[in-house]
Amino acid sequence: MGIIKVSNIKLYAYHGCLEEEAKIGSEYRVDIKVKADLKKSAKTDKLVDTVDYVHLNHIVKEEMAIRSELLEEVAQRILDRAFKEIRMIKKAKVAVAKINPPIGGNVEEVVIILTKKR
């Protein structure tokens, strides 16, 4: 078993419950960590035998582009799609952070973390 992490994916998106968030958007950060059997790819040196982190990044970017009111829903979509498209993933964890959320205080970020297991 091995781990592949794609960290600090920075995006601009339009998630949130407030109308202003749909109009002006906000900065987000996404981290995704997957567990898979990487023994074969460690021997073959072939991309087809591993979890392609370019594919993970692509999934994150596409799902973050779809507006949601809640970060939980976005995180779940990212997990569901990763499991559907990349069969060798055994377990995954995704963290979606809204940077400087509009919650009436000096808050650096709000983070939603979800995990899924096959």
Side-chain angles (χ1 to χ4, degrees):
M1 197 62 66
I3 296 171
I4 294 178
K5 290 172 55 175
V6 184
S7 302
N8 207 20
I9 303 168
K10 295 177 182 176
L11 306 131
Y12 201 86
Y14 299 86
H15 307 299
C17 297
L18 304 175
E19 284 184 41
E20 298 84 43
E21 293 174 300
K23 293 176 185 172
I24 63 171
S26 187
E27 292 181 36
Y28 293 84
R29 187 191 74 242
V30 178
D31 301 306
I32 187 165
K33 174 180 164 182
V34 300
K35 289 187 178 183
D37 186 350
L38 303 179
K39 286 182 271 182
K40 185 175 180 182
S41 61
K43 290 180 182 177
T44 66
D45 195 30
K46 299 295 179 191
L47 182 60
V48 71
D49 294 328
T50 193
V51 175
D52 184 355
Y53 51 80
V54 173
H55 191 170
L56 291 172
N57 185 58
H58 179 75
I59 289 169
V60 168
K61 286 170 43 177
E62 284 193 352
E63 293 304 322
M64 285 295 291
I66 301 168
R67 177 167 161 64
S68 294
E69 288 189 10
L70 300 179
L71 297 181
E72 292 91 325
E73 204 259 344
V74 179
Q76 189 64 56
R77 281 199 329 263
I78 292 168
L79 284 174
D80 291 345
R81 188 163 161 203
F83 273 78
K84 180 181 176 188
E85 294 181 16
I86 306 170
R87 298 295 308 161
M88 66 184 301
I89 294 175
K90 302 293 184 209
K91 185 177 180 182
K93 177 169 132 178
V94 65
V96 179
K98 180 180 274 191
I99 311 301
N100 298 318
I103 60 175
N106 187 9
V107 177
E108 183 178 335
E109 65 184 13
V110 174
V111 185
I112 301 300
I113 301 169
L114 295 180
T115 59
K116 183 174 181 174
K117 199 185 290 187
R118 194 177 299 279

